[in-house]
């Protein structure tokens, strides 16, 4: 829809948070619009058909903490099938490259690391998580690799208090047609302005003036849901400036996780829903999901500095590395069986600039700082503002609902 000149509530960003906020305002008397820089809904939730028979979520794919995840009900309401097959991350590594005895040893080292970090966090003092690696333990680089998948960052830049605040019920489901496709359907009925890049939120006068690539809009209330890196970089500016918000955003940077989808010839040779990774003793490693949903493909996942390095090497570098790594694990024959289909480049995406947020050591309180409203007119949502479900799509959604309720709370006073 085209940009109106005035509105009660402007929501900036049509990711999970913006959609959650918009739905929470639907039955109120307030007029609202969602301003979205891209030409689509979903933000870091984006499903594509990588091939006619291969659904690929470039961003979020798992309904984490599914028993507490608002998108489960949303999916049911929109008739999106939920796949309840649990993920193969921990126990189901495929083949001979990570033998059972080694895997048990690794899982034990990983759990002991989490226990030490948890114990330290109970004392209430923050520290970088890598301090709790056991000196000299041979699994340390791989424990760090897991952090790059979970946090998008190596442990030296992750706060133990933030790690401890994350809530995980360990129930992980998927949406068969894609998490991003679900978000697109959830957003379909909302008033949205696409290709509408917000550059300035001027809250110096009674009404907030929002400058966008489509023109200027006056609003009584604004809900900001853009990723932290955009606030920290000043890609979206505030007048008067909001140094506390910029500081909070800078200390909750988006780490990096990237995915690649490879088509697989002769898929029957590999198990459905398998996990492939080697006991490489390196942090620079991929983890591979074999034949997700039984599809003829392998999905690779990379995180942290290594993902950044591969992205920086240019489009196709993640796929090329993945094929090399899989061939080294399963045999050279796999080179001819694998074909690159698509890879994500979240660090180079101008409206994401990364994948999900983590608190830097000493800054675990910044999620609350980012979330707090300004002057009863500016409200903040997005995964980074969630107190317990940060990094996730459902955490983002719930934060949007929370921000919408804050808006409604100011009206009813
Ligand atoms: C590779 C990867 C894997 C992931 N896996 C999972 C998973 O399995 N499960 C899970 O729960 N989560 C996962 N996540 C995280 C999840 O996708 C995000 O936490 C969630 O989607 C964030 O939602 P959001 O609304 O906070 O932000 P976003 O989705 O980033 O939405 C913000 C919106 O603001 C828009 N925007 C930005 N700047 C402007 C501007 N200036 N003007 C107007 N609009 C603007 C953006 O285009 C975007 O649409 C993953 C993410 C990635 C990248």
């Amino acid at each position: 829809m085209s940009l109106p000149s005035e509105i009660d509530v402007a929501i900036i960003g049509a990711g999970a948070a913006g959609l959650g906020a918009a739905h929470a305002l639907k039955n109120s008397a307030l007029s609202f619009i969602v301003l979205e820089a891209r030409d689509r809904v979903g933000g870091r939730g984006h499903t594509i058909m990588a091939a006619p028979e291969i659904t690929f979520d470039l961003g979020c794919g798992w309904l984490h903490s599914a028993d507490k995840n608002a998108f489960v009900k949303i999916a049911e309401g929109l008739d999106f099938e939920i796949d309840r097959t649990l993920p193969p991350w921990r126990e189901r590594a495929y083949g001979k490259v990570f033998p059972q005895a080694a895997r048990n040893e690794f899982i034990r080292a990983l759990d002991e690391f989490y226990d030490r970090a948890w114990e330290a966090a109970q004392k209430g003092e923050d520290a970088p998580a890598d301090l709790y690696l056991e000196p000299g333990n041979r699994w340390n680089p791989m424990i760090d690799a897991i952090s790059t998948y979970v946090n998008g960052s190596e442990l030296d830049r992750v706060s133990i208090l933030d790690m401890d605040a994350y809530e995980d019920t360990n129930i992980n489901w998927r949406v068969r047609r894609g998490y991003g496709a679900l978000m697109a359907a959830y957003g379909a009925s909302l008033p949205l302005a696409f290709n509408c890049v917000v550059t300035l939120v001027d809250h110096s006068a009674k009404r907030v003036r929002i400058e966008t690539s489509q023109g200027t809009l006056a609003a009584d209330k604004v809900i900001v849901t853009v990723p932290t890196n955009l606030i920290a970089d000043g890609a979206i500016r505030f007048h008067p400036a909001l140094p506390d918000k910029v500081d909070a955003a800078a200390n909750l940077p988006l780490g990096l996780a990237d995915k690649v989808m490879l088509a697989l010839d002769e898929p029957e040779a590999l198990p459905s829903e398998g996990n492939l990774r080697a006991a490489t003793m390196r942090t620079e490693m991929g983890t591979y999901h074999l034949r997700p949903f039984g599809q003829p493909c392998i999905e690779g996942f990379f995180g942290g500095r290594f993902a950044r390095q591969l992205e920086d090497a240019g489009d196709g570098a993640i796929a090329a590395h993945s094929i090399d790594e899989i061939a080294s694990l399963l045999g050279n024959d796999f080179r001819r069986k694998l074909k690159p289909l698509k890879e994500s480049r979240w660090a180079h995406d101008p409206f994401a600039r990364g994948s999900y947020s983590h608190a830097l050591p000493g800054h675990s309180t910044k999620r609350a700082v980012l979330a707090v409203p300004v002057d009863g007119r500016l409200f903040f949502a997005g995964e980074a503002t969630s107190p317990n479900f940060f990094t996730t799509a459902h955490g983002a959604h719930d934060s949007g609902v929370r921000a919408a309720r804050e808006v409604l709370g100011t009206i009813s006073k």
Side-chain angles (χ1 to χ4, degrees):
M1 86 187 249
S2 62
L3 205 63
S5 57
E6 300 198 351
I7 201 89
D8 291 332
V9 186
I11 300 168
I12 305 177
L19 299 178
H23 274 277
L25 292 178
K26 248 176 36 178
N27 296 326
S28 75
L30 299 175
S31 63
F32 65 91
I33 187 167
V34 187
L35 310 175
E36 171 53 53
R38 303 176 198 266
D39 60 2
R40 63 168 180 84
V41 158
R44 283 172 272 165
H46 187 200
T47 306
I48 61 163
M49 294 310 292
E53 74 285 24
I54 299 175
T55 310
F56 181 26
D57 266 312
L58 284 157
C60 53
W62 291 94
L63 294 155
H64 292 312
S65 298
D67 51 336
K68 294 192 173 181
N69 186 320
F71 279 110
V72 170
K73 268 222 160 61
I74 294 166
E76 286 164 357
L78 291 168
D79 225 3
F80 273 65
E81 182 196 338
I82 290 176
D83 185 302
R84 290 176 165 77
T85 314
L86 296 178
W89 304 318
R90 251 174 98 93
E91 280 84 17
R92 266 186 283 154
Y94 171 74
K96 301 190 183 100
V97 289
F98 201 169
Q100 186 69 43
R103 225 161 57 228
N104 292 347
E105 213 186 280
F106 167 65
I107 295 284
R108 191 164 56 245
L110 181 66
D111 288 346
E112 285 173 4
F113 158 73
Y114 282 132
D115 287 349
R116 281 191 298 273
W118 178 83
E119 225 168 87
Q122 304 321 298
K123 295 179 190 139
E125 272 174 40
D126 210 355
D130 67 333
L131 277 189
Y132 300 93
L133 291 169
E134 184 186 35
N137 190 304
R138 72 180 186 126
W139 297 107
N140 286 348
M142 267 184 78
I143 295 174
D144 219 10
I146 302 291
S147 174
T148 70
Y149 309 145
V150 175
N151 302 305
S153 167
E154 284 72 7
L155 291 164
D156 59 338
R157 282 172 61 83
V158 174
S159 139
I160 54 164
L161 294 185
D162 197 50
M163 246 171 63
D164 184 49
Y166 182 70
E167 190 181 338
D168 189 351
T169 68
N170 285 315
I171 299 177
N172 301 288
W173 295 340
R174 280 168 298 171
V175 182
R176 179 60 189 90
R177 282 151 63 193
Y179 211 152
L182 173 62
M183 287 187 197
Y186 183 51
S189 62
L190 295 170
L192 285 143
F194 286 121
N195 303 307
C196 183
V197 183
V198 175
T199 50
L200 178 70
V201 176
D202 181 345
H203 56 113
S204 59
K206 190 163 179 293
R207 296 201 91 190
V208 183
R209 201 172 58 84
I210 303 169
E211 282 182 13
T212 84
S213 54
Q214 304 277 353
T216 300
L217 167 72
D220 287 332
K221 316 269 175 187
V222 180
I223 300 178
V224 181
T225 77
V226 304
T228 51
N229 285 2
L230 281 104
I231 297 175
D233 294 351
I236 180 165
R237 288 182 308 111
F238 299 90
H239 176 71
L242 298 176
D244 288 354
K245 297 295 185 192
V246 173
D247 174 70
N251 286 300
L252 299 168
L254 264 57
L256 187 56
D258 271 316
K259 293 186 189 173
V260 60
M261 186 57 90
L262 307 169
L264 173 67
D265 237 15
E266 301 166 26
E268 319 70 45
L270 293 178
S272 232
E273 310 290 5
N275 177 260
L276 174 70
R277 62 189 141 123
T280 56
M281 311 297 163
R282 284 198 313 270
T283 303
E284 298 79 16
M285 59 178 280
T287 179
Y288 300 96
H289 192 142
L290 306 177
R291 302 183 56 204
F293 302 116
Q295 299 178 133
C297 59
I298 298 180
E299 184 182 299
F301 200 96
F302 294 82
R305 294 174 190 128
F306 188 47
R308 178 84 216 197
Q309 198 182 312
L310 289 171
E311 258 199 48
D312 287 348
D315 204 10
I318 301 180
H321 175 83
S322 299
I323 293 173
D324 283 349
E325 192 172 24
I326 294 168
S328 78
L329 300 178
L330 298 182
N332 235 344
D333 199 29
F334 271 85
R335 273 185 198 287
R336 65 166 183 84
K337 294 187 188 171
L338 294 169
K339 190 177 96 199
L341 292 176
K342 181 78 184 170
E343 63 194 46
S344 65
R345 292 173 61 74
W346 288 106
H348 286 80
D349 178 322
F351 302 118
R353 302 188 184 191
S355 299
Y356 27 82
S357 68
H358 58 98
L360 296 178
H363 297 282
S364 63
T365 55
K366 298 291 162 68
R367 297 196 186 278
V369 174
L370 188 61
V372 82
V374 174
D375 194 22
R377 293 187 306 161
L378 307 185
F379 301 82
F380 290 80
E383 56 88 9
T385 67
S386 169
N388 56 337
F389 288 134
F390 43 85
T391 73
T392 70
H394 62 288
H397 171 275
D398 295 355
S399 75
V401 174
R402 184 257 310 142
R405 288 190 182 137
E406 287 168 353
V407 168
L408 294 170
T410 61
I411 307 283
S412 59
K413 269 181 197 162

